[in-house]
Structures are given as structure tokens and as C-alpha cells.
Amino acid sequence: MATIAKSPTERSPYPTSPDAAQPSPRGDAITGDRYWSKDFAEREWDHIWKRVWHVGGRTSQLEEPGDFVTHEFKTESVILVKQDDGTIRAFFNVCMHRGNRLLQAPEGFVPGRFTCPYHGWKWGIDGALKDVQDPEDFEVNPCGRLRLKELPCDTWGGFIWFSFDPQAKPLREFLSPIPDLLGNRDLDNWTRVVWRQLRVNTNWKFASDNFNEAYHIPAVHPQFMPMIDDHYSTTVFEIYPNGHNRMIEKFQPSSRYPDAEQMKPLWAQVLSEWDIDPQAYADRAQEARIALQQARRQLGPARGHAHFSQLSDWELTDQFHHTLFPNVTLTGTPEGLHFFRTQPLGDDPNWSTFDYWYLVPKIEGADEVATLYGMRPYEEAEFEDGDFAEYEATIAQGDFLAQDLSLAVTQQKGLRSMAFESAYLSKQEARVARFHEVINDYLEGRR
């Protein structure tokens, strides 16, 4: 696997962590039942999902006190609500009287109180019970005594996080070193211009497996190869103590090509857009990556890309894939941040939800931004959801989410076969092995 050697005095061309290490799997078996066994899924719930931090929404959704979002996870529902002092608190979305759900909407506003639709109990946005019907009929008036059950809540990167664990470690400690690795990007103030969720007939672990390797790109995403170098020999692979991983792919024609140094049309188009003559690199196409970094450094601010001045050299071109244990991937590019997440859907381990968000910085003078779904306005996106089968039938051919998720569905079927015993991984898939090792560590009490 590729390593990037630096002298003690050499400035890194990308953000680094002293805790980074090369993946070195111990060889745990990755058997099919991990993906479909209800018993295994229950162990994940008890030992992983109840302990880790979850993303519940974006801070941009909560502008005023009383603004709220609800987040569903398996059979639980959580309210994230902005307080009068500007902080955000998280509560279980359940009335402590008789257990009814307080809120049914995914987001909205309440004027200071949540009212239970069953018996009209009123709970303050701070979680305190404020008013009940017939308070004199209780042996002790519950107002001022009962509270909604609260959860740890914090923010980072403009994301709202919560945990089911009352004793959860601090969020920044749990995420380390990801906030530092993405520190050059002002994610708190970036805009979510795509907000999509799909229900998929596959186990939640598929996405973490998938984004922990680039081995599938030639077969599944050949359209990327003219400008993304997926070959393991040029890729940086790193793991971190908390279970998170990173992979950095260079933005240049793939080294898998026998003629990787020959100029490809798509690569030529990218270079031309930044005033680089493709013919100057006709027989050394990969070297144009450095020229592209320099061009973006020089021309970016004048073209409205003020954020380019904050990015390191490699961040001006390359794909930075951060997989956060257990179920979030943050892929940073010069243009924006791709957010991917899977979650178990109900109690059936064969189903999950797949979220894709795209966040962008502001480009001065522009009111639209390019996305995977064409040009989108520079504004907070409306929520789009549906079943993957419907999405696959209507989306344009070549969409990389459809390419990945179609394989997720067929793999979920194959994993049920008695013929499949355990995954047989290449070295470049070591981050997949590491992901399952961390799962095992949680399940077996080592974390």
C-alpha cells in the first residue's frame, strides 16, 4: 500500500494526524450472517448503536428557539430542538405520561412547548413538564417533577449529533481526528444543496464496506477512471485509533490505464476549464495534477472560490474519503463535501436507509452549484425520499449511487448463500477488514 514519506521539516501537502497508521488486519472472518442475522443485529444495537454518536440533522435547520427536527433510528425517535439560549438539546420523542409520540413531523416549529396529542400534556422545549389536564386529580402534581428523557447532544461541522449513551465520551473525542483532518473546510457554514434518502433492500454495513475501498471502481464506476486514480499504488490508506479510516485518491487519470500518461478527453476538459493547455501534458497527463493545483490556487479566489485559499495543495485536487465508524462517510473534494450514511431500517437486518447529502461553500457571484443531479440553487435543499427501486428506474444511467446500491441489493442476496463462508480480501481492502474488526471489538467488549 502507498505511504507518503515526509521529512520532519517538510510541510505536508494535506492535513495529517500523528495517530495515522497503515491498516494491518488481524484476520477476523467476515461471514454472511453478519448481514442478515437478527441475533447479530440485536448485538449491534446493544453494543454499538446504543453507544456511538449519531447525526440527527444540520444546525441550519434550527434557526430560532422552538425549531426542531426528529430523527428516527430503528424503533426510537429523537427530538433535536433549539433552546432560548441558542443551544440544542436532544430528547426521546415520547410523552412520559402514557408513552405516546409527541411529534410526528420530521421538522418544524413549536412556540415554546410540545403538546402530546393524546391527553394534552405540555412539555417545554427544555424538557420540563409545564401543564397537564386536571392537575388536582394526581396525588402529586407532576408539573415541575417530570421531564422528558434527555440524550447527550453536541455539534460539529454544522451537523447535530446525539447519543443514546448517557455516559457517551465527548463528541470531539469520539470523532478524533476527523475534525482536524477536515479543519480547512468551514463545514459549519456550508449549505446542504442535496438532501436525499433511499430505502434499500440491503444491510446497513454495505455502505461502510463499499466506501472503505476503491477496488470496485473499475468494474462499477468506469466513468471515474479518466480523472480519479483508484490504483492502490498511488492511494493513501490510513486508520485511526477510534475506528475511523481515511483513503486519499489522486485526481488524475487512473494508473490502471496502460497509457495513463496519455491525455484523456475528460481530463483535458478539466484542465482547459482552469486555463491549462492539455497539449502541454499530452504525454505526461498525470503531471497536470500539480499544474491544476497551482491554477486553482492562483485563479480560484478571482472566480469566487475564496475557500480555495484555506485548502492544502492536495485538497485542491484530490478525493479525501473519511469513513467514520460505524456508518458515516465524508468525502471532501475541492468543490464540496459528500455525506453518506446508512442506518438499520426497523428490525429487519435486510433493510436499511441510505442518505446522501451534498454540502458546498459559497461561491461569490454564483446562485447555482453543480451537483450529481445537475445544477442546484445555492439554498438549503428540500428533503427527497423514496425506495431505491423507484429511484433506480428513474435516475439517469451512470449515476454512481444507483451503481453502488444495485450491487448492494444483489450482494445481500448472495450473502445468504450456503456457499459463502467468509470474505477473501486483497491488501487494498484492508480498511474493510479493519471496519469489521472494530465491530467485533464493540461486540466482544474490547471497546
Side-chain angles (χ1 to χ4, degrees), residues 70-93:
T70 57
H71 184 78
E72 311 300 309
F73 191 94
K74 287 178 68 70
T75 58
E76 297 292 351
S77 179
V78 176
I79 301 170
L80 306 165
V81 58
K82 191 160 190 175
Q83 303 294 302
D84 290 329
D85 63 1
T87 62
I88 299 171
R89 297 173 75 170
F91 304 97
F92 280 99
N93 183 16

Short mmCIF file of all heavy atoms in Angstrom, two decimals, residues 70-93:
data_model
loop_
_atom_site.label_atom_id
_atom_site.label_comp_id
_atom_site.label_asym_id
_atom_site.label_seq_id
_atom_site.Cartn_x
_atom_site.Cartn_y
_atom_site.Cartn_z
N THR A 70 -36.82 15.82 14.03
CA THR A 70 -36.89 14.50 14.65
C THR A 70 -36.06 13.54 13.83
O THR A 70 -35.97 13.66 12.61
CB THR A 70 -38.34 13.99 14.74
OG1 THR A 70 -38.92 13.97 13.44
CG2 THR A 70 -39.16 14.87 15.66
N HIS A 71 -35.42 12.61 14.51
CA HIS A 71 -34.60 11.61 13.83
C HIS A 71 -35.04 10.23 14.26
O HIS A 71 -35.13 9.94 15.46
CB HIS A 71 -33.12 11.81 14.16
CG HIS A 71 -32.23 10.87 13.40
ND1 HIS A 71 -31.90 11.06 12.08
CD2 HIS A 71 -31.61 9.72 13.78
CE1 HIS A 71 -31.12 10.07 11.68
NE2 HIS A 71 -30.94 9.24 12.69
N GLU A 72 -35.32 9.39 13.26
CA GLU A 72 -35.78 8.03 13.53
C GLU A 72 -34.60 7.07 13.44
O GLU A 72 -33.81 7.13 12.49
CB GLU A 72 -36.85 7.61 12.52
CG GLU A 72 -37.96 8.63 12.33
CD GLU A 72 -38.72 8.91 13.60
OE1 GLU A 72 -39.16 7.95 14.25
OE2 GLU A 72 -38.88 10.11 13.95
N PHE A 73 -34.49 6.16 14.40
CA PHE A 73 -33.45 5.13 14.36
C PHE A 73 -34.03 3.85 14.93
O PHE A 73 -34.37 3.79 16.10
CB PHE A 73 -32.22 5.54 15.17
CG PHE A 73 -31.04 4.65 14.94
CD1 PHE A 73 -30.09 4.96 13.99
CD2 PHE A 73 -30.92 3.46 15.65
CE1 PHE A 73 -29.02 4.11 13.76
CE2 PHE A 73 -29.86 2.60 15.42
CZ PHE A 73 -28.90 2.92 14.47
N LYS A 74 -34.14 2.82 14.06
CA LYS A 74 -34.81 1.57 14.43
C LYS A 74 -36.19 1.91 15.01
O LYS A 74 -37.00 2.52 14.34
CB LYS A 74 -33.94 0.75 15.38
CG LYS A 74 -32.73 0.12 14.66
CD LYS A 74 -31.84 -0.67 15.61
CE LYS A 74 -32.46 -1.92 16.18
NZ LYS A 74 -32.64 -2.98 15.16
N THR A 75 -36.45 1.55 16.27
CA THR A 75 -37.76 1.83 16.85
C THR A 75 -37.77 3.10 17.68
O THR A 75 -38.81 3.46 18.25
CB THR A 75 -38.20 0.65 17.74
OG1 THR A 75 -37.22 0.44 18.76
CG2 THR A 75 -38.35 -0.63 16.92
N GLU A 76 -36.66 3.82 17.73
CA GLU A 76 -36.58 5.04 18.53
C GLU A 76 -36.80 6.29 17.67
O GLU A 76 -36.54 6.29 16.46
CB GLU A 76 -35.23 5.14 19.23
CG GLU A 76 -34.95 4.04 20.23
CD GLU A 76 -35.84 4.11 21.46
OE1 GLU A 76 -36.57 5.11 21.63
OE2 GLU A 76 -35.81 3.15 22.25
N SER A 77 -37.27 7.34 18.33
CA SER A 77 -37.41 8.64 17.70
C SER A 77 -36.85 9.69 18.65
O SER A 77 -37.12 9.65 19.86
CB SER A 77 -38.88 8.94 17.39
OG SER A 77 -39.03 10.22 16.78
N VAL A 78 -36.06 10.61 18.12
CA VAL A 78 -35.36 11.60 18.94
C VAL A 78 -35.73 13.00 18.44
O VAL A 78 -35.78 13.25 17.24
CB VAL A 78 -33.84 11.40 18.87
CG1 VAL A 78 -33.10 12.49 19.63
CG2 VAL A 78 -33.46 10.03 19.43
N ILE A 79 -36.00 13.90 19.39
CA ILE A 79 -36.25 15.31 19.08
C ILE A 79 -34.97 16.10 19.31
O ILE A 79 -34.35 15.98 20.38
CB ILE A 79 -37.35 15.90 19.98
CG1 ILE A 79 -38.67 15.13 19.83
CG2 ILE A 79 -37.57 17.38 19.67
CD1 ILE A 79 -39.70 15.52 20.89
N LEU A 80 -34.57 16.90 18.34
CA LEU A 80 -33.47 17.83 18.49
C LEU A 80 -34.07 19.24 18.38
O LEU A 80 -34.66 19.58 17.35
CB LEU A 80 -32.42 17.61 17.39
CG LEU A 80 -31.91 16.16 17.28
CD1 LEU A 80 -31.19 15.94 15.98
CD2 LEU A 80 -31.01 15.83 18.46
N VAL A 81 -33.95 20.04 19.42
CA VAL A 81 -34.68 21.31 19.46
C VAL A 81 -33.77 22.43 19.94
O VAL A 81 -32.98 22.27 20.87
CB VAL A 81 -35.93 21.18 20.36
CG1 VAL A 81 -35.56 20.75 21.78
CG2 VAL A 81 -36.73 22.47 20.37
N LYS A 82 -33.92 23.59 19.30
CA LYS A 82 -33.12 24.76 19.67
C LYS A 82 -33.72 25.43 20.89
O LYS A 82 -34.93 25.62 20.98
CB LYS A 82 -33.04 25.75 18.52
CG LYS A 82 -32.02 26.86 18.74
CD LYS A 82 -31.62 27.52 17.45
CE LYS A 82 -30.44 28.45 17.64
NZ LYS A 82 -29.96 29.01 16.36
N GLN A 83 -32.85 25.80 21.85
CA GLN A 83 -33.27 26.39 23.11
C GLN A 83 -33.24 27.92 23.03
O GLN A 83 -32.71 28.52 22.09
CB GLN A 83 -32.34 25.91 24.23
CG GLN A 83 -32.29 24.40 24.37
CD GLN A 83 -33.60 23.81 24.81
OE1 GLN A 83 -34.15 24.17 25.86
NE2 GLN A 83 -34.15 22.91 23.99
N ASP A 84 -33.80 28.55 24.06
CA ASP A 84 -33.83 30.01 24.11
C ASP A 84 -32.43 30.61 24.16
O ASP A 84 -32.21 31.74 23.71
CB ASP A 84 -34.63 30.47 25.33
CG ASP A 84 -36.12 30.18 25.19
OD1 ASP A 84 -36.63 30.20 24.05
OD2 ASP A 84 -36.77 29.92 26.23
N ASP A 85 -31.47 29.87 24.72
CA ASP A 85 -30.10 30.39 24.81
C ASP A 85 -29.26 30.06 23.58
O ASP A 85 -28.05 30.31 23.57
CB ASP A 85 -29.41 29.87 26.07
CG ASP A 85 -29.24 28.35 26.07
OD1 ASP A 85 -29.65 27.69 25.09
OD2 ASP A 85 -28.70 27.81 27.07
N GLY A 86 -29.88 29.46 22.55
CA GLY A 86 -29.17 29.16 21.31
C GLY A 86 -28.57 27.78 21.25
O GLY A 86 -28.10 27.36 20.19
N THR A 87 -28.55 27.06 22.36
CA THR A 87 -28.02 25.70 22.35
C THR A 87 -29.06 24.73 21.76
O THR A 87 -30.22 25.10 21.54
CB THR A 87 -27.64 25.23 23.76
OG1 THR A 87 -28.82 25.24 24.59
CG2 THR A 87 -26.57 26.15 24.35
N ILE A 88 -28.63 23.51 21.52
CA ILE A 88 -29.52 22.47 21.00
C ILE A 88 -29.54 21.32 21.99
O ILE A 88 -28.48 20.90 22.49
CB ILE A 88 -29.05 21.98 19.62
CG1 ILE A 88 -29.05 23.14 18.62
CG2 ILE A 88 -29.95 20.84 19.10
CD1 ILE A 88 -28.41 22.80 17.28
N ARG A 89 -30.72 20.83 22.29
CA ARG A 89 -30.85 19.70 23.21
C ARG A 89 -31.60 18.58 22.52
O ARG A 89 -32.36 18.81 21.57
CB ARG A 89 -31.56 20.13 24.50
CG ARG A 89 -30.77 21.19 25.27
CD ARG A 89 -31.52 21.75 26.46
NE ARG A 89 -31.56 20.83 27.58
CZ ARG A 89 -31.99 21.18 28.80
NH1 ARG A 89 -32.40 22.43 29.03
NH2 ARG A 89 -32.02 20.30 29.78
N ALA A 90 -31.38 17.36 22.99
CA ALA A 90 -32.00 16.17 22.40
C ALA A 90 -32.82 15.45 23.46
O ALA A 90 -32.38 15.28 24.60
CB ALA A 90 -30.92 15.24 21.84
N PHE A 91 -34.02 15.01 23.06
CA PHE A 91 -34.91 14.28 23.94
C PHE A 91 -35.52 13.11 23.19
O PHE A 91 -35.75 13.18 21.97
CB PHE A 91 -36.05 15.17 24.46
CG PHE A 91 -35.61 16.41 25.16
CD1 PHE A 91 -35.55 17.63 24.48
CD2 PHE A 91 -35.24 16.39 26.50
CE1 PHE A 91 -35.14 18.79 25.12
CE2 PHE A 91 -34.83 17.54 27.15
CZ PHE A 91 -34.78 18.75 26.46
N PHE A 92 -35.82 12.03 23.89
CA PHE A 92 -36.62 10.98 23.29
C PHE A 92 -37.99 11.55 22.94
O PHE A 92 -38.59 12.29 23.73
CB PHE A 92 -36.78 9.80 24.26
CG PHE A 92 -35.60 8.88 24.32
CD1 PHE A 92 -34.67 9.00 25.34
CD2 PHE A 92 -35.42 7.89 23.36
CE1 PHE A 92 -33.58 8.14 25.41
CE2 PHE A 92 -34.33 7.03 23.42
CZ PHE A 92 -33.41 7.15 24.45
N ASN A 93 -38.47 11.19 21.77
CA ASN A 93 -39.76 11.70 21.28
C ASN A 93 -40.90 10.86 21.84
O ASN A 93 -41.60 10.16 21.12
CB ASN A 93 -39.75 11.67 19.74
CG ASN A 93 -41.01 12.25 19.13
OD1 ASN A 93 -41.78 12.95 19.80
ND2 ASN A 93 -41.23 11.96 17.85
#
